[in-house]
Amino acid sequence: MLANTFHAELVAPRASADLDACVALMRTGSKTFFAASRLLPVRVRASSIALYAFCRVADDMVDGGEMGIDDAMRVLTHRLDCIYAGDPQAFVEDRALSVVVQRHALPRPLLDALLDGFAWDAQARRYDTLEQVHDYGARVAGSVGAMMCWIMGVRSPQALARACELGVAMQLTNIARDVGEDARNGRLYLPREWMAQAGIDTDAWLRQPLGSPALQGVVSRLLDEADRLYAQATAGIAQLPRDCRSAILAARLIYAEIGQQLRRDGLDPCARRAVVPASRKLVLLACASLQSGWMGRPAAAVPPLAAIAYLVDQCHTLDETAFSSGISTRPFNQRLAWMLDMFERVEARRQDERHGAHRSVAAEAGQRLSH
């Protein structure tokens, strides 16, 4: 008992510091993901924060870091090797991800796919067709959707397929919103075939990216495809644990709203970046909380989007054996078990303190009104 208490005293400060560092990365990164993640139960939220932190650091290292793409990929691959061997390097995000990997037996092909997507970004890969854009979205976002689904404890191929498709839909929304910013950085993720069909010379347009009725048509087509995938992916949310549905539905609603805001702004992402107002996000968060409680039974099985089929297949194959995903087959590391337990306790305490503060503010406001 004394040994356990002593171990907890040593682990708690590190768990708290690691969690704070990971939360800071998420707070300054995806505001939508951060907002939606606050609806997740602690058992999932702590793991999702750790996963996001590693993904954010890896993206920054590959795309815009000081080392070249090949060197960055080599370093990250080695770091993943260490993580899956249960011996992470001395980085906050590696220690945190190692806990998640060991606890959930997270399939490594999903993280490898994500790194591939980051490399595609850094290489300024060319995307001629919608299918090629799907391939990119499957790696940088579909893989994350599958990992979140896996962390929630859901392993069915249909649920994983819908989670991947939700990730791809979100990425298509990001592409539509960021057309102007990407073009000014010399990048184009809109299907070049569609640009040509609209009469746009892509090379000339990249030199001077401006809005036009032709570009509006291309952006609208991409948003329509995102909406199709949002609709298809929504059926998978009903297959998630009840206490996880509201967060994922919130992310789905807020991202889809970005597309609606872009339409309201006139489909001109070169002029300004579509932003969903905070007040509207709060409404959508509330809607997600209400709707998630009465979601119907999952729809009939639907074949996965071609671009994400290989991810679903690999997850299904790797799930047949507990640690066949490349995780060390030695007995579960007790220290890592303690770390995740402490990680979750720290997050639970953070949420309790936040809710307590909110209650205090509300009580004080009530007292003032009564006077």
Side-chain angles (χ1 to χ4, degrees):
M1 179 66 181
L2 182 60
N4 287 345
T5 301
F6 178 68
H7 185 78
E9 290 174 351
L10 289 176
V11 171
R14 171 171 286 185
S16 180
D18 285 357
L19 183 61
D20 286 341
C22 293
V23 168
L25 281 169
M26 184 166 66
R27 190 189 297 271
T28 58
S30 173
K31 292 181 174 61
T32 296
F33 186 90
F34 179 74
S37 73
R38 297 176 74 169
L39 298 179
L40 287 169
V42 171
R43 62 184 174 80
V44 176
R45 178 172 159 80
S47 294
S48 68
I49 291 171
L51 174 63
Y52 180 88
F54 181 86
C55 295
R56 170 74 186 278
V57 170
D59 188 16
D60 290 345
M61 183 181 294
V62 175
D63 192 10
E66 295 180 357
M67 62 180 70
I69 300 171
D70 292 341
D71 288 339
M73 290 295 290
R74 190 159 41 248
V75 168
L76 287 169
T77 298
H78 177 64
R79 285 172 63 171
L80 277 182
D81 289 341
C82 294
I83 287 169
Y84 275 84
D87 187 23
Q89 294 187 3
F91 298 100
V92 169
E93 60 275 9
D94 290 33
R95 289 196 301 265
L97 180 59
S98 184
V99 172
V100 176
V101 164
Q102 295 286 347
R103 169 63 68 89
H104 300 286
L106 190 66
R108 176 158 178 176
L110 296 176
L111 281 161
D112 288 333
L114 183 65
L115 293 186
D116 285 343
F118 293 160
W120 286 16
D121 259 339
Q123 294 162 352
R125 198 180 183 95
R126 180 187 176 105
Y127 304 101
D128 290 322
T129 66
L130 175 62
E131 290 72 26
Q132 290 173 349
V133 177
H134 282 162
D135 288 339
Y136 167 70
R139 284 159 177 79
V140 296
S143 60
V144 177
M147 285 189 278
M148 288 297 298
C149 186
W150 194 277
I151 287 171
M152 291 174 192
V154 181
R155 306 285 192 266
S156 78
Q158 280 293 305
L160 288 166
R162 303 292 83 81
C164 285
E165 288 160 358
L166 180 57
V168 174
M170 290 176 172
Q171 189 59 36
L172 296 184
T173 299
N174 282 341
I175 289 171
R177 178 195 61 194
D178 297 337
V179 165
E181 182 180 342
D182 288 334
R184 287 186 284 273
N185 290 321
R187 296 182 178 182
L188 177 65
Y189 297 94
L190 295 174
R192 288 175 180 253
E193 281 189 352
W194 290 8
M195 299 282 279
Q197 290 167 7
I200 301 173
D201 181 326
T202 54
D203 293 331
W205 180 81
L206 279 170
R207 289 192 293 271
Q208 190 175 12
L210 297 173
S212 67
L215 183 68
Q216 289 173 344
V218 175
V219 172
S220 180
R221 286 181 70 179
L222 194 68
L223 290 176
D224 288 345
E225 173 63 9
D227 287 343
R228 183 186 75 82
L229 290 176
Y230 282 128
Q232 184 163 305
T234 300
I237 298 176
Q239 300 181 52
L240 300 176
R242 286 185 178 274
D243 58 356
C244 295
R245 293 175 189 170
S246 59
I248 304 307
L249 183 58
R252 178 250 185 268
L253 293 176
I254 293 173
Y255 262 90
E257 184 67 14
I258 293 172
Q260 294 304 319
Q261 186 64 44
L262 185 52
R263 291 184 174 103
R264 287 192 288 269
D265 290 344
L267 292 171
D268 188 4
C270 294
R272 61 173 171 168
R273 193 172 190 262
V275 176
V276 177
S279 58
R280 179 59 179 160
K281 285 185 180 180
L282 289 174
V283 170
L284 293 173
L285 287 169
C287 289
S289 295
L290 291 173
Q291 293 176 25
S292 64
W294 43 266
M295 296 189 75
R297 294 173 60 86
V302 176
L305 185 71
I308 60 97
Y310 85 101
L311 291 174
V312 177
D313 289 342
Q314 287 183 331
C315 287
H316 181 64
T317 299
L318 295 174
D319 192 36
E320 293 176 357
T321 305
F323 288 95
S324 60
S325 56
I327 302 171
S328 173
T329 55
R330 65 191 184 187
F332 185 83
N333 188 307
Q334 293 299 318
R335 180 175 178 277
L336 288 175
W338 264 94
M339 280 289 290
L340 184 57
D341 180 63
M342 199 61 60
F343 208 50
E344 292 171 350
R345 290 186 188 183
V346 168
E347 176 58 17
R349 186 169 66 247
R350 288 165 61 94
Q351 290 196 1
D352 287 343
E353 290 172 352
R354 183 167 59 246
H355 293 157
H358 289 168
R359 286 193 294 270
S360 297
V361 170
E364 184 178 346
Q367 291 176 356
R368 289 177 179 174
L369 287 174
S370 64
H371 295 306

